[in-house]
Amino acid sequence: MNVGLQVWDEAGNEVVSPGDRLTKIIGIEQVMAGSSGSLFNDGLSLGTPFSFFLPSGYTEPTTTGPSVWRVPQIHFAGNLMTWGYEGEEGLYGGTAVSGHIFYGVY
């Protein structure tokens, strides 16, 4: 007998089955433009980690070349998450923006 969560909609269609991956947000980290950092969270070892970055408000992109924002590059190793901004500010390098990293596991 299989074990897992099964959910059906009002029409009787299965919308969640035991083989589906469900995400869990573990935390949110505020990041200042151009900064780097890291954090340990034991929850990251409970599955496959993922993240996404949301900029804080609107920041005018560079005016020297293409409009580009620089966002942090995020990496995982076990229960460690690190982030940092790569490349240079300015001509075609984009403008580093502050924001929030949402992270979790699936």
Side-chain angles (χ1 to χ4, degrees), residues 28-40 51 53 71-76 80-86 99 101 103:
I28 303 169
E29 186 70 21
Q30 184 175 8
V31 177
M32 302 310 294
S35 68
S36 60
S38 63
L39 65 80
F40 285 97
S51 65
F53 177 78
V71 298
Q73 302 298 306
I74 304 164
H75 304 280
F76 294 98
L80 172 67
M81 179 177 80
T82 59
W83 64 88
Y85 291 77
E86 298 176 0
I101 299 172
Y103 61 95

Side-chain angles (χ1 to χ4, degrees), residues 1 6 13 16-18 23-24 26 42 44 52-53 57 64-66 68 70 73 76 79 82 87 97 103-104:
M1 175 175 167
Q6 287 184 287
N13 301 310
V16 177
S17 67
T23 59
K24 177 180 181 179
I26 295 173
D42 288 333
L44 292 171
F52 59 91
F53 177 78
T64 55
V68 187
R70 286 176 48 235
Q73 302 298 306
F76 294 98
N79 62 353
T82 59
V97 293
Y103 61 95

